mmCIF file of all heavy atoms in Angstrom:
data_model
loop_
_atom_site.group_PDB
_atom_site.id
_atom_site.type_symbol
_atom_site.label_atom_id
_atom_site.label_comp_id
_atom_site.label_asym_id
_atom_site.label_seq_id
_atom_site.Cartn_x
_atom_site.Cartn_y
_atom_site.Cartn_z
ATOM 1 N N ASP Q 758 158.710 259.341 56.783
ATOM 2 C CA ASP Q 758 158.749 260.659 57.323
ATOM 3 C C ASP Q 758 157.302 261.118 57.503
ATOM 4 O O ASP Q 758 156.452 261.165 56.593
ATOM 5 C CB ASP Q 758 159.396 261.606 56.281
ATOM 6 C CG ASP Q 758 159.463 263.058 56.798
ATOM 7 O OD1 ASP Q 758 159.114 263.334 57.945
ATOM 8 O OD2 ASP Q 758 159.929 263.922 56.001
ATOM 9 N N ILE Q 759 156.908 261.422 58.757
ATOM 10 C CA ILE Q 759 155.514 261.865 59.016
ATOM 11 C C ILE Q 759 155.406 263.381 59.219
ATOM 12 O O ILE Q 759 154.371 263.824 59.749
ATOM 13 C CB ILE Q 759 154.895 261.076 60.242
ATOM 14 C CG1 ILE Q 759 155.716 261.327 61.481
ATOM 15 C CG2 ILE Q 759 154.796 259.563 59.877
ATOM 16 C CD1 ILE Q 759 154.978 260.812 62.765
ATOM 17 N N SER Q 760 156.398 264.114 58.872
ATOM 18 C CA SER Q 760 156.373 265.559 59.137
ATOM 19 C C SER Q 760 155.162 266.251 58.419
ATOM 20 O O SER Q 760 154.642 267.213 58.934
ATOM 21 C CB SER Q 760 157.694 266.236 58.750
ATOM 22 O OG SER Q 760 157.997 266.015 57.391
ATOM 23 N N PHE Q 761 154.768 265.749 57.240
ATOM 24 C CA PHE Q 761 153.600 266.322 56.589
ATOM 25 C C PHE Q 761 152.355 266.228 57.427
ATOM 26 O O PHE Q 761 151.659 267.179 57.633
ATOM 27 C CB PHE Q 761 153.389 265.628 55.229
ATOM 28 C CG PHE Q 761 152.034 265.891 54.638
ATOM 29 C CD1 PHE Q 761 151.808 267.068 53.919
ATOM 30 C CD2 PHE Q 761 150.997 265.003 54.797
ATOM 31 C CE1 PHE Q 761 150.546 267.331 53.424
ATOM 32 C CE2 PHE Q 761 149.761 265.240 54.226
ATOM 33 C CZ PHE Q 761 149.531 266.420 53.503
ATOM 34 N N TYR Q 762 152.172 265.079 58.039
ATOM 35 C CA TYR Q 762 150.947 264.812 58.853
ATOM 36 C C TYR Q 762 151.060 265.618 60.176
ATOM 37 O O TYR Q 762 150.008 266.100 60.672
ATOM 38 C CB TYR Q 762 150.822 263.295 59.157
ATOM 39 C CG TYR Q 762 150.718 262.516 57.864
ATOM 40 C CD1 TYR Q 762 151.849 261.897 57.366
ATOM 41 C CD2 TYR Q 762 149.566 262.504 57.140
ATOM 42 C CE1 TYR Q 762 151.769 261.217 56.142
ATOM 43 C CE2 TYR Q 762 149.493 261.780 55.964
ATOM 44 C CZ TYR Q 762 150.579 261.145 55.475
ATOM 45 O OH TYR Q 762 150.532 260.546 54.254
ATOM 46 N N ARG Q 763 152.249 265.726 60.729
ATOM 47 C CA ARG Q 763 152.447 266.513 61.938
ATOM 48 C C ARG Q 763 152.105 267.969 61.642
ATOM 49 O O ARG Q 763 151.401 268.634 62.408
ATOM 50 C CB ARG Q 763 153.868 266.332 62.478
ATOM 51 C CG ARG Q 763 154.128 267.111 63.753
ATOM 52 C CD ARG Q 763 155.539 266.871 64.264
ATOM 53 N NE ARG Q 763 155.730 265.481 64.641
ATOM 54 C CZ ARG Q 763 156.583 264.646 63.999
ATOM 55 N NH1 ARG Q 763 157.284 265.058 62.935
ATOM 56 N NH2 ARG Q 763 156.747 263.355 64.382
ATOM 57 N N GLU Q 764 152.662 268.512 60.595
ATOM 58 C CA GLU Q 764 152.475 269.933 60.269
ATOM 59 C C GLU Q 764 151.011 270.161 59.916
ATOM 60 O O GLU Q 764 150.413 271.173 60.330
ATOM 61 C CB GLU Q 764 153.381 270.324 59.041
ATOM 62 C CG GLU Q 764 153.271 271.745 58.621
ATOM 63 C CD GLU Q 764 153.928 272.719 59.614
ATOM 64 O OE1 GLU Q 764 154.564 272.251 60.557
ATOM 65 O OE2 GLU Q 764 153.782 273.958 59.393
ATOM 66 N N ARG Q 765 150.386 269.304 59.189
ATOM 67 C CA ARG Q 765 148.969 269.455 58.820
ATOM 68 C C ARG Q 765 148.062 269.531 60.064
ATOM 69 O O ARG Q 765 147.215 270.410 60.181
ATOM 70 C CB ARG Q 765 148.570 268.285 57.897
ATOM 71 C CG ARG Q 765 147.159 268.419 57.379
ATOM 72 C CD ARG Q 765 146.866 267.223 56.492
ATOM 73 N NE ARG Q 765 146.670 265.972 57.293
ATOM 74 C CZ ARG Q 765 146.262 264.832 56.712
ATOM 75 N NH1 ARG Q 765 146.001 264.750 55.406
ATOM 76 N NH2 ARG Q 765 146.090 263.775 57.495
ATOM 77 N N LYS Q 766 148.307 268.609 60.983
ATOM 78 C CA LYS Q 766 147.489 268.620 62.222
ATOM 79 C C LYS Q 766 147.797 269.795 63.102
ATOM 80 O O LYS Q 766 146.922 270.484 63.614
ATOM 81 C CB LYS Q 766 147.736 267.300 63.021
ATOM 82 C CG LYS Q 766 146.970 267.284 64.346
ATOM 83 C CD LYS Q 766 147.294 266.023 65.097
ATOM 84 C CE LYS Q 766 146.426 265.926 66.378
ATOM 85 N NZ LYS Q 766 147.065 266.575 67.532
ATOM 86 N N LEU Q 767 149.091 270.111 63.307
ATOM 87 C CA LEU Q 767 149.506 271.198 64.141
ATOM 88 C C LEU Q 767 148.959 272.524 63.645
ATOM 89 O O LEU Q 767 148.472 273.346 64.447
ATOM 90 C CB LEU Q 767 151.015 271.257 64.185
ATOM 91 C CG LEU Q 767 151.647 272.280 65.123
ATOM 92 C CD1 LEU Q 767 151.385 271.901 66.566
ATOM 93 C CD2 LEU Q 767 153.166 272.310 64.866
ATOM 94 N N ARG Q 768 148.979 272.800 62.334
ATOM 95 C CA ARG Q 768 148.558 274.043 61.799
ATOM 96 C C ARG Q 768 147.069 274.105 61.491
ATOM 97 O O ARG Q 768 146.402 275.057 61.907
ATOM 98 C CB ARG Q 768 149.327 274.405 60.534
ATOM 99 C CG ARG Q 768 150.808 274.405 60.745
ATOM 100 C CD ARG Q 768 151.346 275.400 61.678
ATOM 101 N NE ARG Q 768 152.791 275.230 61.879
ATOM 102 C CZ ARG Q 768 153.391 275.330 62.990
ATOM 103 N NH1 ARG Q 768 152.777 275.671 64.108
ATOM 104 N NH2 ARG Q 768 154.695 275.073 63.060
ATOM 105 N N LEU Q 769 146.523 273.090 60.796
ATOM 106 C CA LEU Q 769 145.164 273.190 60.308
ATOM 107 C C LEU Q 769 144.122 272.747 61.293
ATOM 108 O O LEU Q 769 142.917 273.026 61.135
ATOM 109 C CB LEU Q 769 145.016 272.372 59.034
ATOM 110 C CG LEU Q 769 145.940 272.747 57.896
ATOM 111 C CD1 LEU Q 769 145.644 271.951 56.641
ATOM 112 C CD2 LEU Q 769 145.926 274.220 57.562
ATOM 113 N N LEU Q 770 144.495 272.021 62.382
ATOM 114 C CA LEU Q 770 143.550 271.710 63.367
ATOM 115 C C LEU Q 770 143.921 272.383 64.713
ATOM 116 O O LEU Q 770 143.124 273.224 65.191
ATOM 117 C CB LEU Q 770 143.488 270.171 63.627
ATOM 118 C CG LEU Q 770 142.350 269.696 64.505
ATOM 119 C CD1 LEU Q 770 141.783 268.393 63.996
ATOM 120 C CD2 LEU Q 770 142.809 269.531 65.909
ATOM 121 N N ASN Q 771 145.092 272.166 65.160
ATOM 122 C CA ASN Q 771 145.468 272.717 66.500
ATOM 123 C C ASN Q 771 145.606 274.254 66.493
ATOM 124 O O ASN Q 771 145.166 274.879 67.486
ATOM 125 C CB ASN Q 771 146.793 272.089 66.962
ATOM 126 C CG ASN Q 771 146.699 270.596 67.164
ATOM 127 O OD1 ASN Q 771 147.611 269.881 66.828
ATOM 128 N ND2 ASN Q 771 145.640 270.107 67.809
ATOM 129 N N ALA Q 772 146.149 274.810 65.436
ATOM 130 C CA ALA Q 772 146.316 276.265 65.439
ATOM 131 C C ALA Q 772 144.928 277.001 65.441
ATOM 132 O O ALA Q 772 144.762 278.028 66.052
ATOM 133 C CB ALA Q 772 147.134 276.736 64.230
ATOM 134 N N VAL Q 773 143.963 276.416 64.700
ATOM 135 C CA VAL Q 773 142.598 276.996 64.654
ATOM 136 C C VAL Q 773 141.998 276.942 66.098
ATOM 137 O O VAL Q 773 141.415 277.890 66.538
ATOM 138 C CB VAL Q 773 141.707 276.338 63.642
ATOM 139 C CG1 VAL Q 773 140.299 276.865 63.703
ATOM 140 C CG2 VAL Q 773 142.268 276.547 62.262
ATOM 141 N N HIS Q 774 142.154 275.780 66.727
ATOM 142 C CA HIS Q 774 141.643 275.649 68.084
ATOM 143 C C HIS Q 774 142.233 276.694 69.008
ATOM 144 O O HIS Q 774 141.590 277.408 69.739
ATOM 145 C CB HIS Q 774 142.009 274.264 68.639
ATOM 146 C CG HIS Q 774 141.022 273.204 68.411
ATOM 147 N ND1 HIS Q 774 141.395 271.869 68.381
ATOM 148 C CD2 HIS Q 774 139.721 273.199 68.187
ATOM 149 C CE1 HIS Q 774 140.347 271.138 68.178
ATOM 150 N NE2 HIS Q 774 139.312 271.936 68.044
ATOM 151 N N THR Q 775 143.594 276.776 68.979
ATOM 152 C CA THR Q 775 144.339 277.683 69.845
ATOM 153 C C THR Q 775 143.967 279.137 69.601
ATOM 154 O O THR Q 775 143.833 279.945 70.494
ATOM 155 C CB THR Q 775 145.814 277.422 69.723
ATOM 156 O OG1 THR Q 775 146.109 276.068 70.051
ATOM 157 C CG2 THR Q 775 146.660 278.346 70.613
ATOM 158 N N ALA Q 776 143.853 279.510 68.325
ATOM 159 C CA ALA Q 776 143.545 280.914 67.944
ATOM 160 C C ALA Q 776 142.133 281.290 68.321
ATOM 161 O O ALA Q 776 141.821 282.421 68.602
ATOM 162 C CB ALA Q 776 143.813 281.122 66.479
ATOM 163 N N THR Q 777 141.170 280.297 68.243
ATOM 164 C CA THR Q 777 139.800 280.601 68.464
ATOM 165 C C THR Q 777 139.387 280.552 69.974
ATOM 166 O O THR Q 777 138.511 281.223 70.390
ATOM 167 C CB THR Q 777 138.903 279.680 67.676
ATOM 168 O OG1 THR Q 777 139.296 279.743 66.281
ATOM 169 C CG2 THR Q 777 137.409 280.018 67.765
ATOM 170 N N ALA Q 778 140.109 279.752 70.768
ATOM 171 C CA ALA Q 778 139.707 279.498 72.144
ATOM 172 C C ALA Q 778 139.497 280.779 72.943
ATOM 173 O O ALA Q 778 138.412 280.873 73.575
ATOM 174 C CB ALA Q 778 140.754 278.598 72.797
ATOM 175 N N PRO Q 779 140.399 281.721 73.005
ATOM 176 C CA PRO Q 779 140.128 282.874 73.837
ATOM 177 C C PRO Q 779 138.946 283.676 73.398
ATOM 178 O O PRO Q 779 138.196 284.239 74.215
ATOM 179 C CB PRO Q 779 141.452 283.696 73.787
ATOM 180 C CG PRO Q 779 142.233 283.174 72.633
ATOM 181 C CD PRO Q 779 141.727 281.805 72.386
ATOM 182 N N LEU Q 780 138.778 283.760 72.081
ATOM 183 C CA LEU Q 780 137.634 284.562 71.561
ATOM 184 C C LEU Q 780 136.281 283.837 71.881
ATOM 185 O O LEU Q 780 135.302 284.490 72.211
ATOM 186 C CB LEU Q 780 137.801 284.747 70.080
ATOM 187 C CG LEU Q 780 139.119 285.485 69.680
ATOM 188 C CD1 LEU Q 780 139.307 285.497 68.157
ATOM 189 C CD2 LEU Q 780 139.151 286.891 70.261
ATOM 190 N N ALA Q 781 136.297 282.512 71.700
ATOM 191 C CA ALA Q 781 135.092 281.752 72.017
ATOM 192 C C ALA Q 781 134.726 281.909 73.471
ATOM 193 O O ALA Q 781 133.550 282.003 73.839
ATOM 194 C CB ALA Q 781 135.250 280.343 71.617
ATOM 195 N N LEU Q 782 135.704 281.780 74.334
ATOM 196 C CA LEU Q 782 135.457 281.945 75.781
ATOM 197 C C LEU Q 782 134.932 283.298 76.112
ATOM 198 O O LEU Q 782 134.018 283.486 76.907
ATOM 199 C CB LEU Q 782 136.725 281.635 76.605
ATOM 200 C CG LEU Q 782 137.156 280.145 76.553
ATOM 201 C CD1 LEU Q 782 138.557 279.986 77.187
ATOM 202 C CD2 LEU Q 782 136.149 279.298 77.280
ATOM 203 N N LEU Q 783 135.532 284.333 75.521
ATOM 204 C CA LEU Q 783 135.028 285.723 75.714
ATOM 205 C C LEU Q 783 133.601 285.871 75.275
ATOM 206 O O LEU Q 783 132.783 286.612 75.845
ATOM 207 C CB LEU Q 783 135.914 286.742 75.019
ATOM 208 C CG LEU Q 783 137.270 287.014 75.699
ATOM 209 C CD1 LEU Q 783 138.159 287.819 74.793
ATOM 210 C CD2 LEU Q 783 137.067 287.740 77.050
ATOM 211 N N ALA Q 784 133.241 285.129 74.206
ATOM 212 C CA ALA Q 784 131.874 285.243 73.644
ATOM 213 C C ALA Q 784 130.909 284.365 74.389
ATOM 214 O O ALA Q 784 129.723 284.386 74.114
ATOM 215 C CB ALA Q 784 131.916 284.883 72.176
ATOM 216 N N GLY Q 785 131.380 283.609 75.377
ATOM 217 C CA GLY Q 785 130.494 282.728 76.124
ATOM 218 C C GLY Q 785 130.074 281.485 75.391
ATOM 219 O O GLY Q 785 129.021 280.859 75.701
ATOM 220 N N VAL Q 786 130.850 281.076 74.370
ATOM 221 C CA VAL Q 786 130.547 279.847 73.600
ATOM 222 C C VAL Q 786 131.266 278.693 74.211
ATOM 223 O O VAL Q 786 132.535 278.724 74.328
ATOM 224 C CB VAL Q 786 130.894 280.093 72.107
ATOM 225 C CG1 VAL Q 786 130.714 278.825 71.313
ATOM 226 C CG2 VAL Q 786 130.139 281.213 71.527
ATOM 227 N N ARG Q 787 130.536 277.670 74.582
ATOM 228 C CA ARG Q 787 131.140 276.555 75.394
ATOM 229 C C ARG Q 787 131.965 275.542 74.557
ATOM 230 O O ARG Q 787 132.957 275.067 74.986
ATOM 231 C CB ARG Q 787 130.012 275.827 76.180
ATOM 232 C CG ARG Q 787 130.536 274.790 77.166
ATOM 233 C CD ARG Q 787 129.431 274.213 77.980
ATOM 234 N NE ARG Q 787 128.580 273.321 77.247
ATOM 235 C CZ ARG Q 787 128.844 272.028 76.970
ATOM 236 N NH1 ARG Q 787 129.993 271.510 77.407
ATOM 237 N NH2 ARG Q 787 128.008 271.274 76.283
ATOM 238 N N THR Q 788 131.408 275.140 73.376
ATOM 239 C CA THR Q 788 132.025 274.048 72.640
ATOM 240 C C THR Q 788 132.461 274.516 71.228
ATOM 241 O O THR Q 788 131.923 275.449 70.655
ATOM 242 C CB THR Q 788 131.068 272.853 72.489
ATOM 243 O OG1 THR Q 788 129.984 273.192 71.656
ATOM 244 C CG2 THR Q 788 130.588 272.320 73.877
ATOM 245 N N VAL Q 789 133.331 273.675 70.652
ATOM 246 C CA VAL Q 789 133.770 273.880 69.280
ATOM 247 C C VAL Q 789 132.546 273.756 68.338
ATOM 248 O O VAL Q 789 132.436 274.552 67.413
ATOM 249 C CB VAL Q 789 134.895 272.932 68.921
ATOM 250 C CG1 VAL Q 789 135.276 273.040 67.448
ATOM 251 C CG2 VAL Q 789 136.124 273.178 69.794
ATOM 252 N N ARG Q 790 131.720 272.792 68.620
ATOM 253 C CA ARG Q 790 130.539 272.601 67.769
ATOM 254 C C ARG Q 790 129.675 273.850 67.780
ATOM 255 O O ARG Q 790 129.208 274.400 66.729
ATOM 256 C CB ARG Q 790 129.747 271.417 68.305
ATOM 257 C CG ARG Q 790 128.431 271.167 67.544
ATOM 258 C CD ARG Q 790 127.555 270.139 68.183
ATOM 259 N NE ARG Q 790 127.130 270.465 69.505
ATOM 260 C CZ ARG Q 790 127.495 269.829 70.604
ATOM 261 N NH1 ARG Q 790 128.222 268.775 70.557
ATOM 262 N NH2 ARG Q 790 127.106 270.259 71.778
ATOM 263 N N ASP Q 791 129.458 274.447 68.980
ATOM 264 C CA ASP Q 791 128.653 275.685 69.071
ATOM 265 C C ASP Q 791 129.320 276.824 68.350
ATOM 266 O O ASP Q 791 128.679 277.642 67.733
ATOM 267 C CB ASP Q 791 128.465 276.065 70.567
ATOM 268 C CG ASP Q 791 127.587 275.058 71.334
ATOM 269 O OD1 ASP Q 791 126.896 274.248 70.664
ATOM 270 O OD2 ASP Q 791 127.700 275.023 72.575
ATOM 271 N N ALA Q 792 130.673 276.855 68.416
ATOM 272 C CA ALA Q 792 131.397 277.918 67.678
ATOM 273 C C ALA Q 792 131.222 277.776 66.138
ATOM 274 O O ALA Q 792 131.114 278.721 65.390
ATOM 275 C CB ALA Q 792 132.879 277.956 68.048
ATOM 276 N N SER Q 793 131.193 276.515 65.706
ATOM 277 C CA SER Q 793 131.072 276.237 64.239
ATOM 278 C C SER Q 793 129.729 276.806 63.788
ATOM 279 O O SER Q 793 129.672 277.235 62.605
ATOM 280 C CB SER Q 793 131.094 274.703 64.012
ATOM 281 O OG SER Q 793 132.377 274.214 64.323
ATOM 282 N N ALA Q 794 128.670 276.768 64.579
ATOM 283 C CA ALA Q 794 127.380 277.250 64.177
ATOM 284 C C ALA Q 794 127.131 278.682 64.530
ATOM 285 O O ALA Q 794 126.163 279.305 64.127
ATOM 286 C CB ALA Q 794 126.295 276.414 64.843
ATOM 287 N N HIS Q 795 128.116 279.305 65.242
ATOM 288 C CA HIS Q 795 127.983 280.715 65.698
ATOM 289 C C HIS Q 795 128.099 281.646 64.482
ATOM 290 O O HIS Q 795 128.944 281.424 63.591
ATOM 291 C CB HIS Q 795 129.084 280.984 66.745
ATOM 292 C CG HIS Q 795 128.908 282.300 67.434
ATOM 293 N ND1 HIS Q 795 129.406 283.434 66.845
ATOM 294 C CD2 HIS Q 795 128.348 282.641 68.582
ATOM 295 C CE1 HIS Q 795 129.146 284.470 67.702
ATOM 296 N NE2 HIS Q 795 128.492 283.956 68.772
ATOM 297 N N PRO Q 796 127.303 282.675 64.432
ATOM 298 C CA PRO Q 796 127.272 283.584 63.191
ATOM 299 C C PRO Q 796 128.605 284.330 62.991
ATOM 300 O O PRO Q 796 128.929 284.691 61.880
ATOM 301 C CB PRO Q 796 126.135 284.587 63.465
ATOM 302 C CG PRO Q 796 125.847 284.443 64.954
ATOM 303 C CD PRO Q 796 126.267 283.080 65.367
ATOM 304 N N ARG Q 797 129.403 284.521 64.021
ATOM 305 C CA ARG Q 797 130.699 285.196 63.859
ATOM 306 C C ARG Q 797 131.913 284.243 63.964
ATOM 307 O O ARG Q 797 132.810 284.348 63.201
ATOM 308 C CB ARG Q 797 130.837 286.320 64.887
ATOM 309 C CG ARG Q 797 129.846 287.449 64.587
ATOM 310 C CD ARG Q 797 130.407 288.782 65.025
ATOM 311 N NE ARG Q 797 129.524 289.849 64.570
ATOM 312 C CZ ARG Q 797 129.036 290.786 65.346
ATOM 313 N NH1 ARG Q 797 129.355 290.798 66.605
ATOM 314 N NH2 ARG Q 797 128.264 291.706 64.810
ATOM 315 N N LEU Q 798 131.846 283.328 64.963
ATOM 316 C CA LEU Q 798 132.967 282.450 65.143
ATOM 317 C C LEU Q 798 133.097 281.402 64.049
ATOM 318 O O LEU Q 798 134.227 281.048 63.723
ATOM 319 C CB LEU Q 798 132.884 281.769 66.524
ATOM 320 C CG LEU Q 798 133.118 282.689 67.766
ATOM 321 C CD1 LEU Q 798 132.756 281.953 69.028
ATOM 322 C CD2 LEU Q 798 134.523 283.177 67.759
#
């Protein structure tokens, strides 16, 4: 059963990407790496 791995990736990686994308784009931040170093994102 790989549901644990699916849920972990879907929520802890993909959900953060999806939730942050519109805000990062509005802030003019191009990459995930840049957002990681951004003082607010």
Side-chain angles (χ1 to χ4, degrees):
D758 181 6
I759 62 170
S760 58
F761 166 80
Y762 303 99
R763 183 178 295 114
E764 182 72 6
R765 184 178 75 172
K766 178 183 184 270
L767 185 68
R768 304 298 175 220
L769 302 184
L770 188 142
N771 298 137
V773 175
H774 271 156
T775 301
T777 306
L780 302 172
L782 290 169
L783 285 170
V786 175
R787 189 176 71 82
T788 67
V789 175
R790 177 189 61 246
D791 295 340
S793 295
H795 190 275
R797 292 210 172 129
L798 290 172

